[in-house]
Amino acid sequence: MPHVLFVFGTRPEAIKLAPLIEELRRNPSFDVRVCVTGQHREMLAQVLRLFDIVPEFDLDLMTLDQGLSEMTAAILAGMRDVLRSTRPDLVVVQGDTTSAFAAGLAAFYAGIDVAHVEAGLRSGDSLAPWPEEVNRKLLSIVTRYHFAPTEESRANLLREGTDPAQIFVTGNTVIDALKKAASRIDGDDVLRARLDSEFSFLDRRRRLILVTGHRRESFGSGFESICDALAEIAGEHEDVEIVYPVHLNPNVMLPVHRILGRNARIHLIEPIDYLSFVYLMTRSEFILTDSGGVQEEASTLGKPVLILRETTERPEAVSEGNARVVGTDRETIVSETRLLLHDAAHRAAMSQPSLAFGDGKAAERIAEVLLEATLSDRCRAASPRAT
Ligand code: UD1
Ligand code: UDP
């Protein structure tokens, strides 16, 4: 029975891998185990609870305001020990975090095949998002099975010389997670009532803008500028309310609370669980975010997105008309937000639900490929083992 080890460390990886873990666990052909690095703690625990994932291994590495070098080194050492003791046939990682990159590298050093979910995204700028653009490129080099969400991500991999036979276009597993969450909310009156009451502080007569932000390249002046823009928007629109679940990174939390903490129409809340966040996305009129996953989810739900970054590796959201890259400049954020608030035709044009990121069956497709690959023993036929 092929032994597959999932390794992840942050909230978005967990959300995006949960549907695949569930899919493989349903299939008796696989022996599935989970290792969390602990890059995130509370924000990861929320997702593990929701999707009922109990990790077999927890490196428990999170430290306050952690540095990239320390985290990378700790994950490499921690993973070396886990891989030595468990010898999986395949390590599955997702996305572009330090956890994904370092776990992929550790698997490569141990002579174990790597499957990369959400492969091939590229912004074209090594410094934005930072360090994710470089993480995902480095990961592609050590990956054997590249699961590209879209044709564009496949094209990026081909341009870099990746073997076409090792690339599989599957859609993004986040859409699987989103659809499951949305149908859970739709089909459960008690849950919906709980969510209504969790957010009873929001005034239904006001128009809701949802905000998230956490990119490292925006720390400092970028975040201050975003916060100034939010204060200006709330100040000039009495009929608007902003809700902002604030990332626990102190480089985010401190400026956000300092600048926006006293604003009556801006609700700064703690990170919320995935069901609550999906509920808030559906209640919002539009979304301001620098998150990768939220760009995909919002486009799928038909919620306009202003991307608070200089560039995006999700160009599909822009070409489909759902998103605009507005950066972190205060004036640009304010004027683009005004346009969405005041120009109904513009808002409607950006509110068409998009299928660009997937149809909710990505996990099924990935499982099929992995089953075929592992059964034909391609994993074990890889390069000589080194420990
Ligand atoms: C990381 C990822 C980023 C991903 C984001 C998702 C890297 C380099 N960055 O962002 O790609 O988009 O997660 O959210 O891999 N903290 C807590 N509790 C938590 C999580 C974080 O207290 O549950 C605090 C800790 O002080 C921690 C800090 O936030 O040191 C930063 O956490 P980190 O995982 O490094 O977050 P980011 O790099 O901001
Ligand atoms: N999300 C969540 N709770 C929150 C904010 C976001 O569950 O309070 C979800 C969101 O729906 C998306 C993912 O977390 O699936 C995005 O995570 P994040 O913005 O931290 O990372 P990124 O997508 O930028 O890597």
Side-chain angles (χ1 to χ4, degrees):
M1 190 188 287
H3 170 190
V4 178
L5 182 69
F6 284 81
V7 188
F8 53 91
T10 70
R11 168 175 69 191
E13 295 162 85
I15 291 170
K16 291 173 169 184
L17 286 175
L20 183 58
I21 293 171
E22 192 185 66
E23 186 72 30
L24 293 198
R25 284 211 160 128
R26 256 207 305 266
N27 189 328
S29 313
F30 292 102
D31 171 10
V32 177
R33 294 183 207 172
V34 170
C35 173
V36 294
T37 63
Q39 177 172 343
H40 283 181
R41 191 171 290 153
E42 303 88 330
M43 288 163 60
L44 183 66
Q46 283 179 329
V47 189
L48 297 177
R49 258 196 314 275
L50 179 69
F51 289 100
D52 214 8
I53 297 171
V54 181
E56 279 78 11
F57 307 94
D58 185 351
L59 305 184
D60 193 20
L61 293 175
M62 197 191 84
T63 55
L64 182 69
D65 194 13
Q66 56 210 358
L68 298 175
S69 307
E70 293 79 357
M71 208 186 342
T72 305
I75 294 169
L76 273 176
M79 283 312 302
R80 176 201 53 210
D81 297 344
V82 170
L83 294 173
R84 267 187 191 155
S85 68
T86 57
R87 299 296 320 162
D89 298 297
L90 185 73
V91 164
V92 182
V93 295
Q94 195 282 337
D96 52 22
T97 66
T98 294
S99 287
F101 161 60
L105 186 60
F108 173 73
Y109 286 160
I112 294 165
D113 281 339
V114 176
H116 184 201
V117 176
E118 198 181 79
L121 276 63
R122 299 289 182 267
S123 71
D125 180 349
S126 295
L127 297 180
W130 180 87
E132 290 83 357
E133 175 77 355
V134 167
N135 280 348
R136 52 172 94 103
K137 282 168 116 170
L138 294 172
L139 199 44
S140 292
I141 297 171
V142 297
T143 289
R144 174 144 186 197
Y145 302 104
H146 305 258
F147 294 106
T150 66
E151 286 298 337
E152 285 197 63
S153 40
R154 176 172 184 271
N156 290 333
L157 291 166
L158 291 175
R159 216 173 291 123
E160 291 170 10
T162 308
D163 179 353
Q166 293 182 339
I167 309 172
F168 308 89
V169 178
T170 59
N172 197 310
T173 52
V174 78
I175 308 304
D176 303 26
L178 176 67
K179 290 200 164 184
K180 279 175 206 260
S183 71
R184 227 163 121 174
I185 296 170
D186 278 352
D188 185 339
D189 294 343
V190 176
L191 172 61
R192 239 182 4 264
R194 176 182 70 71
L195 292 166
D196 285 341
S197 108
E198 182 181 342
F199 296 103
S200 57
F201 60 87
L202 295 174
D203 184 345
R204 283 198 182 264
R205 289 162 305 181
R206 292 206 163 99
R207 305 166 73 182
L208 185 65
I209 304 176
L210 174 62
V211 178
T212 78
H214 67 82
R215 300 253 79 96
R216 283 181 179 236
E217 69 272 16
S218 301
F219 288 173
S221 60
F223 262 97
E224 285 173 11
S225 169
I226 292 170
C227 291
D228 289 342
L230 295 176
E232 190 172 337
I233 293 159
E236 72 179 29
H237 296 94
E238 288 242 346
D239 62 336
V240 161
E241 208 167 26
I242 294 176
V243 61
Y244 182 171
V246 185
H247 197 285
L248 296 180
N249 193 323
N251 298 289
V252 177
M253 267 205 307
L254 296 176
V256 169
H257 281 277
R258 175 168 50 78
I259 301 171
L260 301 175
R262 291 161 195 273
N263 198 308
R265 284 199 301 280
I266 301 183
H267 305 280
L268 302 180
I269 58 176
E270 299 210 337
I272 49 180
D273 75 32
Y274 189 56
L275 286 178
S276 305
F277 193 78
V278 170
Y279 168 90
L280 274 191
M281 282 195 285
T282 58
R283 257 188 79 168
S284 68
E285 196 156 300
F286 57 91
I287 300 173
L288 272 56
T289 189
D290 63 14
S291 157
V294 178
Q295 290 174 52
E296 296 152 348
E297 293 162 341
S299 302
T300 306
L301 293 170
K303 297 293 174 181
V305 186
L306 299 181
I307 304 172
L308 303 172
R309 293 160 50 173
E310 305 304 329
T311 176
T312 180
E313 60 290 310
R314 273 102 175 160
E316 299 87 348
V318 178
S319 58
E320 291 277 298
N322 301 103
R324 281 193 172 192
V325 177
V326 301
T328 58
D329 175 64
R330 170 181 175 158
E331 280 312 310
T332 315
I333 297 170
V334 171
S335 63
E336 289 286 339
T337 303
R338 277 193 202 123
L339 198 59
L340 271 174
L341 285 170
H342 301 313
D343 185 337
H346 173 63
R347 196 169 60 249
M350 289 184 74
S351 302
Q352 305 303 315
S354 159
L355 294 175
F357 293 106
D359 59 1
K361 295 189 174 145
E364 232 175 86
R365 293 189 189 98
I366 294 171
E368 270 170 34
V369 174
L370 291 182
L371 188 60
E372 197 187 320
T374 46
L375 284 184
S376 64
D377 213 14
R378 273 152 59 182
C379 297
R380 289 186 185 88
S383 53
R385 297 278 190 267
T387 44

